[in-house]
Every structure is written in C-alpha cells, then in structure tokens.
Amino acid sequence: MKFRQVEAFRYIMLRGTTAAAAAEMHVSQPAVSRLLSDLEYSLGFSLFDRRKGRLHPTQEAAEFFRSVEESFLGMEKLDSVASKIRTRTPSELKIASTSAIASTLLPLALQEHKKYFPDERVTIHTDAMSELVMKLQTNSVDLAIGLELPQLIGIEREFIGNARFVFAARSDHPLAKKAVITAQDLIGESVLTVVDNSPAYWSELGGALSSVKSQLKQSIMIDTSHTGYAMIAAGMAVGVLEPFAARVWEGKNVVIRPFEPAIYYPYGLAYPTNARQHKSLFSFTQSIQKVAQAMHEFKNDYIAMEK
C-alpha cells in the first residue's frame, strides 16, 4: 500500500468520481483507476462496487476511509504547523543578559525596539556569563547579551563594541583625587575580586593586577558588578569594574577613573542560528547596535561621578 494509492482513494471518496480525483491529483483518469486497483489488490478487499459506470463505496471502504481521513487530517495539521514555524515572528522575546547590561544598554534597546513591536512580550533573565552560554545552548532564550561569547556550534554572534574597564572608589577615598589609577596605586587596598563559574572570562583583569596581587587585600568576592559598586559606595573596597553599571551609581558617592594598564573587554550578542529569520529578533539586534553606538562606554568617554 503506497501513499499515492491511498490519496487516490481519498479523493474518490471526497469528490465522487475518478475524473474529479484525477483533477485534484493532477494526473490522468486512467492513472487514478490504476492506483485504485492496486490499492484494492494490496488491501485484499474491494473498496467500490462498479455499477453502470459509477463507483459506489462498500462498507469496507467507509470503515477504511475513517482511518485514512484521520491520517490525512494529521498530515494537514503538520503542514500547518510547519508553515507557522517557517513564517512566525515570536510573540515573546526571551533575553538573557548580564546584570550591568540589563540595567543600562538593555532598557534603551528595548525602548527603541518597542517602536516597531509594541505588543511583544519580553522576558529578561539576568545571569552570569556561564549561565548565558548554557541557556543559549539549550534554546532557553532567543538572545544573550554580555561579554563576547566564544565560538559555539549552532550559535551566531555579533560584536557590539569594546568597553574599557574603570577604577571605582567611594568619593571620599584618597585615590579619588587622582586622575588616573595604576595597579601600583592599589597596593594595600581592599580590592574587589570577581568570581564566576567561567574564570577564563576574567583572565585579562587578573593579568593586569598580577604584578601587585600579593600586596592586595581581596577579602570581598562579588559575582555581579552592581554588588561591587554597592560595596564601593559603602566604603568597603575599591575595584576595577565594567563601566556600564556606573551609570546607575551616579550620585551615590562613587567616582570612576581610567585605570592603567588599560583593560578592554569585547561585548556582543548571540542567538541560535535557526532564529536568524525572526523579524522581531533581527529588529531587536539592530536596536541594540544603534543604542550601543551612542553609549559613551563603548567610546571610552568616561564621566567622573563626584556628586
């Protein structure tokens, strides 16, 4: 029993004649008749009584047709689902981001994005870099934003820009009086330490402090820069941190200064390869790039915060 044989039987049942079935299948009437005969032979019973040139379904045909129709309706449903997948625009955008980007770049990008997709639902997950990678690889999110990810199979990456890390201290700290901070200036200071499940991300930061590491006090460990800035505002420590979250801490007794040697980290966005055709997602990546181009953090244009 072959698919075309069953298809011919179905169209005869639905349209009533082999001629109508042939028109639906775009074949000749004799071809439909042959398909029907071959099907009856493979089934081992007759599907139609042939009387005066017309086909009359047998009881067996009616019973068999019910199962055939269930199968074809299932196939049509699958075709419909496939069509929706090919053309869909996600009704919900799931984003994973580091906390600093989630509180600075992301709101600006979403504000731009909502001009074009005002009714779209957005879910935001705030995660460390290691969790961003995991959620991308498991298709738990549509997009991840943060430090530039390594090359991953099935993941597309877009570079956003390089951001220079900054020194941050409480406004009344002695080092706040200096225009530029060096690693040597940190000797004897309580300096924040970043912890993450993927320490490789912080190798450049660790390397910049390696020459004075043994002379630093590193008793406070943080996993988000916002926590770091909070510790700094409370006078608990100083730190070398990403510059984005500094926006949020403006006017909260925190100052930032350029740090030498300069530490640059690349930032980017990433999404599953099969999501590239989604109009909403593509639009959102453009919004991110547009907003990032205007941000001083990617221009290394530092703003001293001394309020």
Side-chain angles (χ1 to χ4, degrees):
M1 181 171 57
K2 298 179 180 180
F3 176 80
R4 288 292 275 178
Q5 296 170 358
V6 176
E7 185 181 29
F9 164 69
R10 178 174 183 257
Y11 278 125
I12 294 170
M13 291 290 288
L14 292 173
R15 301 293 180 257
T17 66
T18 54
E24 291 283 357
M25 298 175 67
H26 304 289
V27 297
S28 66
Q29 185 174 353
V32 170
S33 297
R34 284 195 302 272
L35 289 169
L36 180 59
S37 296
D38 291 341
L39 177 61
E40 289 180 315
Y41 178 80
S42 64
L43 293 173
F45 54 81
S46 296
L47 295 169
F48 295 95
D49 291 327
R50 294 158 176 83
R51 294 179 301 209
K52 296 182 180 180
R54 294 187 62 85
L55 298 178
H56 299 273
T58 63
Q59 184 176 347
E60 290 81 3
E63 185 177 347
F64 184 60
F65 179 70
R66 285 195 292 270
S67 294
V68 167
E69 195 66 356
E70 287 176 4
S71 299
F72 271 83
L73 287 174
M75 291 297 294
E76 289 173 356
K77 183 177 180 181
L78 289 177
D79 285 340
S80 175
V81 169
S83 176
K84 289 179 180 178
I85 290 173
R86 285 193 301 270
T87 60
R88 72 182 177 189
T89 295
S91 58
E92 179 181 13
L93 196 58
K94 297 180 181 179
I95 305 165
S97 171
T98 56
S99 62
I101 294 298
S103 61
T104 54
L105 183 154
L106 189 54
L108 298 174
L110 280 174
Q111 187 177 43
E112 177 71 16
H113 179 67
K114 285 290 188 177
K115 295 176 183 178
Y116 311 102
F117 293 86
D119 300 322
E120 185 174 54
R121 180 179 177 181
V122 178
T123 300
I124 300 170
H125 301 271
T126 306
D127 298 301
M129 287 303 302
S130 56
E131 293 171 323
L132 258 65
V133 172
M134 180 189 69
K135 286 184 176 177
L136 263 182
Q137 291 181 314
T138 57
N139 285 313
S140 300
V141 296
D142 301 304
L143 181 78
I145 320 170
L147 291 172
E148 190 172 52
L149 270 62
Q151 184 63 58
L152 301 169
I153 296 175
I155 301 298
E156 299 291 326
R157 302 182 301 169
E158 290 185 23
F159 176 69
I160 297 175
N162 287 311
R164 183 177 175 179
F165 274 39
V166 297
F167 170 80
R170 186 180 164 102
S171 57
D172 58 2
H173 192 282
L175 289 179
K177 298 176 181 179
K178 297 195 65 174
V180 178
I181 307 300
T182 68
Q184 294 294 318
D185 293 324
L186 301 182
I187 294 175
E189 296 289 342
S190 176
V191 181
L192 297 170
T193 301
V194 177
V195 294
D196 192 284
N197 292 331
S198 298
Y201 279 111
W202 308 108
S203 58
E204 187 174 350
L205 177 58
L209 300 178
S210 61
S211 63
V212 296
K213 182 175 176 62
S214 63
Q215 302 175 74
L216 305 180
K217 301 174 184 176
Q218 294 184 294
S219 59
I220 300 179
M221 318 289 283
I222 59 168
D223 64 353
T224 72
S225 56
H226 275 295
T227 302
Y229 279 105
M231 294 297 106
I232 289 167
M236 300 295 294
V238 298
V240 181
L241 305 168
E242 52 75 23
F244 302 101
R247 288 180 176 233
V248 180
W249 292 89
E250 185 175 6
K252 295 181 173 63
N253 295 323
V254 175
V255 297
I256 63 171
R257 299 286 184 265
F259 181 78
E260 295 289 348
I263 304 170
Y264 290 94
Y265 272 97
Y267 283 75
L269 58 88
Y271 49 86
T273 300
N274 60 7
R276 182 185 292 176
Q277 73 273 23
H278 292 168
K279 293 180 180 179
S280 169
L281 182 60
F282 177 72
S283 175
F284 185 54
T285 62
Q286 290 184 310
S287 295
I288 292 172
Q289 296 287 6
K290 179 180 178 180
V291 166
Q293 288 176 12
M295 293 179 69
H296 65 79
E297 289 89 345
F298 290 116
K299 299 176 181 178
N300 303 315
D301 177 21
Y302 300 114
I303 300 174
M305 300 185 301
E306 300 179 353
K307 295 180 182 179

